[in-house]
Amino acid sequence: MKTRISIITSALLLAGCSTVAEPQAESQYNASLIITNGQVLTINDEKDVIENGVIVIENDTIVAVGDASLLSRYQAPKVIDAEDGIVMPGMINTHNHLPMIAFRGLGEEGIENRLFAYFFPLEKEKLSRDLIYQATKLGAVDLAQSGVTTYADMYYHVDDMARATKEVGLRAVLGETVIKFPVVDAPEPYGGIEYATQFIEEYQNDPLITPAFAPHAVYTVSKEKLQEINRLSAKLDAPVLIHVAEFGNEAERIEGNDQQLSPVAWLKEIGVLDNRMVLAHGIHLDQNDIDLIKEAGASVAHNPMANAKGATGIAPAWEMYRQGLRLGLGTDGPMSSNQVDLWRTLSYTANMQRLKHNDRTIMIPEQVIELSTIGGARALHMEDQIGSLEVGKKADIIIIETQSPNMMPNYNPYATLVYQANPGNVSTTIVNGDIVMEQREIKNIDMAEMQQAVRTIEADIAEFAKELSKKAIKSKSLMN
Ligand SMILES: [Zn+2]
């Protein structure tokens, strides 16, 4: 009944208006959750930071953001004291292959052409529906404990990923992989198209899961199939996640690309570059590519840590940011950067661009945090729902404690986050108004059971992985 008044009140407070009449105590509005006593980084257009701030949540939505005076207007059965910690929007990881967390730490012996010599054979032998489900659960807990509230992913058996993700309580954009050879959940080449279509129809109205197509790359999916996916994605209004310009030689690997167009120009030429596309990596882009992406309203998932580890290059992230592209941060899969959280990625994002441009004044911490939150939301075309702490947005919120020695002092919260914080500093994670983790304790699943399932998978994989690695290294030494 009083919701409308409260929303207007908080909007006025945000605008710095101090003329709002104090309602009587008996007119206190009953919300479902209140966060108090935090340094609130709103990441709104003005980048307002509210000291001793308060956030009020009603079910899945933020209904008020302001200073401590809000406490006279609102009450809730659950109040979380942020204890002077930093309160910010949950981080958004725009590119991942989360179930590969079952394989992280493998194939680290300096293997040449690791994707084809190691990844694909390992997946062929060991992937199963159960592994994908269990590994997603581990990954989702890892994400929740490190403050990622939304992740975008390209993998297989995405319905099982959706199930595990929802059990932990995270938000995700899940794309079923489409590729030109048989894979674990599709015995026919390109079988992912049918799998994805069914998945999209099933999850279309889910509050946490956005179902998507994930054609693997321009060099592993034909022109005709990319066009078919484009038509279906328009019909079903589903995002399309794809790897683009990760490698310098992609143009020559595209079938039928007689004019040697760049991968981005190729997507434009065949009529599939549009505002549902999320391009992962975008390392080898020229200005024309950047213009085409911007014009199409497509977006880029920037993965600096994986790109550094894989020696694939430094993306023109600063150029894309400056030119207002939809740009978010990602980790790529857990075999590519070994972390699913964004903490190290934050400093990589700043430092690699500074090195590349020989300029210490660019990519300042505030800009990096923007990329990890509202930037990611824009990259996933979800900025109306998530990415900032504003009235009307979904309540995806994290609290980062500032009492640990590594977090002290905290003069500039953006710098503290980018250069000091680590996943262990995240104390509380809220997604869609539900508390997924509080004071480091995961709420929705049995941790011991999850850990046991991972140990079983690890024991099953270890021996095969060792042999595969020996073979891959041997074939390299034979070549030399
Ligand atoms: Zn990837």
Side-chain angles (χ1 to χ4, degrees), residues 11 25 53 63 98 104 119 150 157 219 256 269 273 281 287 314 330 372 380 382:
V63 295
L98 195 59
R104 80 168 152 189
F119 275 29
T150 297
H157 284 305
Y219 56 91
E269 171 79 9
L273 187 67
H281 298 297
Q287 186 55 47
I314 305 178
S372 72
L380 300 179
M382 295 171 80

Side-chain angles (χ1 to χ4, degrees), residues 95 97 243 281 332:
H95 182 59
H97 311 283
H243 295 102
H281 298 297
D332 208 350

Side-chain angles (χ1 to χ4, degrees), residues 95-97 100 119 154 216 242-243 246 280-281 303 306 331-333 336:
H95 182 59
N96 209 330
H97 311 283
M100 292 180 83
F119 275 29
M154 305 168 64
H216 174 263
I242 183 170
H243 295 102
E246 179 179 9
H281 298 297
N303 305 276
T331 53
D332 208 350
S336 301

Side-chain angles (χ1 to χ4, degrees), residues 218 244-245 247-252 254 257 259-270 273 284-290 292-293:
V218 286
V244 175
F247 304 106
N249 63 355
E250 282 179 25
E252 62 204 63
I254 299 171
N257 183 16
Q259 300 173 64
Q260 293 285 292
L261 294 172
S262 74
V264 173
W266 168 254
L267 292 173
K268 165 82 179 165
E269 171 79 9
I270 66 173
L273 187 67
H284 305 278
L285 302 177
D286 60 20
Q287 186 55 47
N288 184 50
D289 295 326
I290 294 174
L292 289 175
I293 295 168

Side-chain angles (χ1 to χ4, degrees), residues 67-78:
D67 61 26
S69 67
L70 282 178
L71 295 174
S72 65
R73 300 176 179 82
Y74 293 94
Q75 59 184 22
K78 173 78 179 170

Side-chain angles (χ1 to χ4, degrees), residues 243-459:
H243 295 102
V244 175
E246 179 179 9
F247 304 106
N249 63 355
E250 282 179 25
E252 62 204 63
R253 292 162 71 193
I254 299 171
E255 243 171 86
N257 183 16
D258 303 331
Q259 300 173 64
Q260 293 285 292
L261 294 172
S262 74
V264 173
W266 168 254
L267 292 173
K268 165 82 179 165
E269 171 79 9
I270 66 173
V272 303
L273 187 67
D274 64 21
N275 62 4
R276 282 181 301 278
M277 267 205 159
V278 184
L279 315 182
H281 298 297
I283 299 169
H284 305 278
L285 302 177
D286 60 20
Q287 186 55 47
N288 184 50
D289 295 326
I290 294 174
D291 291 342
L292 289 175
I293 295 168
K294 190 173 179 187
E295 209 177 277
S299 57
V300 173
H302 175 49
N303 305 276
M305 202 161 87
N307 300 160
K309 187 180 172 218
T312 44
I314 305 178
W318 178 243
E319 290 86 336
M320 292 191 274
Y321 175 80
R322 286 298 300 273
Q323 294 173 45
L325 243 72
R326 291 175 174 272
L327 181 69
L329 303 181
T331 53
D332 208 350
M335 287 185 82
S336 301
S337 70
N338 305 47
Q339 307 290 320
V340 293
D341 66 81
L342 289 175
W343 292 101
R344 292 187 206 179
T345 292
L346 299 177
S347 53
Y348 266 85
T349 301
N351 298 352
M352 281 171 67
Q353 293 302 309
R354 290 178 182 193
L355 268 175
K356 181 183 177 206
H357 292 272
N358 193 23
D359 184 350
R360 64 164 299 119
T361 69
I362 65 171
M363 216 50 120
I364 61 170
E366 186 178 311
Q367 294 165 332
V368 177
I369 294 299
E370 177 191 334
L371 287 175
S372 72
T373 53
I374 193 69
R378 293 182 72 230
L380 300 179
H381 302 277
M382 295 171 80
E383 70 270 26
D384 291 344
Q385 298 171 56
I386 55 173
S388 62
L389 302 182
E390 294 179 270
V391 171
K393 287 224 175 163
K394 297 293 180 197
D396 289 10
I397 302 167
I398 58 174
I399 302 173
I400 299 112
E401 55 88 9
T402 49
Q403 307 302 319
S404 293
N406 72 300
M407 295 296 283
M408 298 173 80
N410 172 30
Y411 294 116
N412 168 350
Y414 298 110
T416 305
L417 292 169
V418 172
Y419 289 116
Q420 290 165 231
N422 65 52
N425 298 122
V426 179
S427 61
T428 296
T429 300
I430 297 163
V431 182
N432 215 36
D434 290 329
I435 301 167
V436 172
M437 176 179 78
E438 185 176 9
Q439 297 294 347
R440 300 294 299 163
E441 189 196 330
I442 286 288
K443 295 287 184 188
N444 299 333
I445 66 154
D446 182 333
M447 287 286 280
E449 200 180 291
M450 182 275 284
Q451 287 159 322
Q452 188 49 46
V454 174
R455 278 192 284 270
T456 305
I457 289 169
E458 184 179 350

